[in-house]
Amino acid sequence: MSNGDIFLGEVIGTAILILFGAGVVAAVLLNYSKAKDAGWVVIAFGWGFGVMAGAYTAAPLSGGQLNPAVTVGIAIDTGEWDKVPVYIAGQMVGAILGAVLCWLVYYAQFQANADEEIAQPTLGIFSTAPAIRNTVANLVTEIIATIALVLPILAFGLTKGLGVSGTAILIVSFLVVGIGLSLGGPTGYAINPARDLGPRIVHALLPIPNKGTSDWSYSWIPVVGPLIGGVLSGLIFNAAF
């Protein structure tokens, strides 16, 4: 794969991922949305379908990694680091683009947030926040949840038929749904630095009425935690398999 193909594939795939993921959260949270209050299960499946759509779209160009933690885990496993910056750059650009697209889709609903009587913080549509703010607990949650993502992804590669048939991406999509349902309660399961940081930047910059804080004091946890989880996944995989 050329650097250009990798970058383009990761931009497109990650943009689709965030469009679906941020989109389903917007659909559930924003007033005047037809999916208002649909609940956590809907959000978990929306993110899973976002992974499926984004990864299948990006796969012919870049392999569809869409996540710096996955990229780092694979690099530790293979020892190939030369294309890691290209992957991560594409993922960040794609995450920013996807967040902007979500804002455009729900533009009318975001504008309705200008009414102080129904105003609500909007950061949760773009990025994660903990249910209970505890630095150590939040960091550990993100590390463990990311290991639950990246280690199985590395192990799936041992079953060659999954890659040949394209079934691996479908399985990973359901894995993300499972992580959301099982491990997402404490922190909102970022498990992807680009997924959290890119949209958080967009939230800070967009002219969203009554949007509230972008919570930069917490922003390092959904970046550092998943990266640590990706590193540990690669080390565990190399040691165990």
Side-chain angles (χ1 to χ4, degrees):
M1 301 175 188
S2 69
N3 286 341
D5 284 346
I6 290 171
F7 181 79
L8 182 60
E10 293 298 294
V11 168
I12 294 172
T14 309
I16 292 172
L17 163 63
I18 300 301
L19 176 60
F20 274 59
V24 71
V25 180
V28 171
L29 295 185
L30 287 174
N31 290 304
Y32 304 115
S33 164
K34 291 182 179 294
K36 173 71 174 173
D37 296 327
W40 187 255
V41 174
V42 170
I43 290 174
F45 272 94
W47 276 105
F49 290 139
V51 170
M52 181 176 65
Y56 271 123
T57 303
L61 290 172
S62 66
Q65 296 181 15
L66 314 187
N67 183 342
V70 172
T71 298
V72 169
I74 291 173
I76 289 176
D77 174 37
T78 63
E80 299 176 0
W81 289 88
D82 57 317
K83 295 186 183 298
V84 167
V86 180
Y87 272 99
I88 294 178
Q91 291 155 4
M92 281 298 301
V93 172
I96 289 171
L97 177 59
V100 172
L101 292 174
C102 172
W103 172 66
L104 291 173
V105 170
Y106 284 92
Y107 180 80
Q109 283 73 26
F110 280 116
Q111 291 304 110
N113 208 42
D115 185 342
E116 292 184 0
E117 293 183 2
I118 61 171
Q120 55 191 304
T122 56
L123 179 61
I125 294 167
F126 295 88
S127 296
T128 61
I132 298 175
R133 197 167 290 261
N134 181 308
T135 299
V136 174
N138 300 154
L139 186 63
V140 168
T141 295
E142 284 295 326
I143 291 171
I144 293 173
T146 306
I147 293 173
L149 171 70
V150 179
L151 187 58
I153 287 175
L154 295 175
F156 294 160
L158 297 176
T159 304
K160 296 182 179 179
L162 292 179
V164 173
S165 66
T167 311
I169 291 175
L170 180 61
I171 295 174
V172 171
S173 302
F174 281 106
L175 173 63
V176 171
V177 173
I179 291 171
L181 295 176
S182 302
L183 308 177
T187 62
Y189 72 115
I191 60 175
N192 181 336
R195 166 264 177 277
D196 197 273
L197 181 57
R200 194 182 298 270
I201 292 170
V202 170
H203 178 268
L205 296 177
L206 285 178
I208 301 172
N210 292 318
K211 65 182 177 181
T213 176
S214 297
D215 198 7
W216 289 107
S217 64
Y218 178 77
S219 64
W220 67 273
I221 290 177
V223 173
V224 174
L227 288 176
I228 294 173
V231 169
L232 291 176
S233 296
L235 295 175
I236 293 169
F237 183 77
N238 278 346
F241 296 91

